[in-house]
Amino acid sequence: MYVCSCFGITDRQVREHQEAGACTPRQIASLSKAGTDCGSCVRRIQGLLGRGGCAGRQPETAFEEPARAPVPSSASVAEAA
C-alpha cells in the first residue's frame, strides 16, 4: 500500500527503513523524501513506526539528528548592539 503518493513510497519501504534503524518520520524522510512534499502522509508514517517502534533501541548513528546551536536571548542581542 502506498503511504506517500507524492514520492511513491510504500508501507513496505517504511518498514525496511525502520528495520535499518529509522525511528522517526524525519528519519524516514531523510531516507526516502516521504512526508517532505505535501505532508499528508506524516501521520500514516507515525502510525507505521508506532506499531513496530524503536522502544528500547538506540537509533543508528547515521540517523541521529544533529545538535542545534542555542538561540541567543534578546538580552544578549541587545548587549551586542
Side-chain angles (χ1 to χ4, degrees), residues 58-73:
Q58 291 294 322
E60 299 290 329
T61 306
F63 300 117
E64 290 178 2
E65 295 178 23
R68 295 195 171 126
V71 177
S73 67

Side-chain angles (χ1 to χ4, degrees), residues 40-69:
S40 66
C41 61
V42 173
R43 289 200 185 266
R44 279 177 276 180
I45 294 168
Q46 287 173 327
L48 288 169
L49 295 175
R51 289 186 205 144
C54 289
R57 190 172 74 172
Q58 291 294 322
E60 299 290 329
T61 306
F63 300 117
E64 290 178 2
E65 295 178 23
R68 295 195 171 126

Side-chain angles (χ1 to χ4, degrees), residues 7-81:
F7 294 103
I9 305 302
T10 65
D11 57 335
R12 178 184 225 167
Q13 290 171 296
V14 171
R15 283 194 297 272
E16 288 172 358
H17 291 312
Q18 183 181 22
E19 289 171 11
C23 297
T24 66
R26 184 173 288 187
Q27 292 168 343
I28 297 294
S30 72
L31 295 168
S32 66
K33 294 186 181 180
T36 61
D37 194 29
C38 76
S40 66
C41 61
V42 173
R43 289 200 185 266
R44 279 177 276 180
I45 294 168
Q46 287 173 327
L48 288 169
L49 295 175
R51 289 186 205 144
C54 289
R57 190 172 74 172
Q58 291 294 322
E60 299 290 329
T61 306
F63 300 117
E64 290 178 2
E65 295 178 23
R68 295 195 171 126
V71 177
S73 67
S74 58
S76 63
V77 173
E79 290 172 5

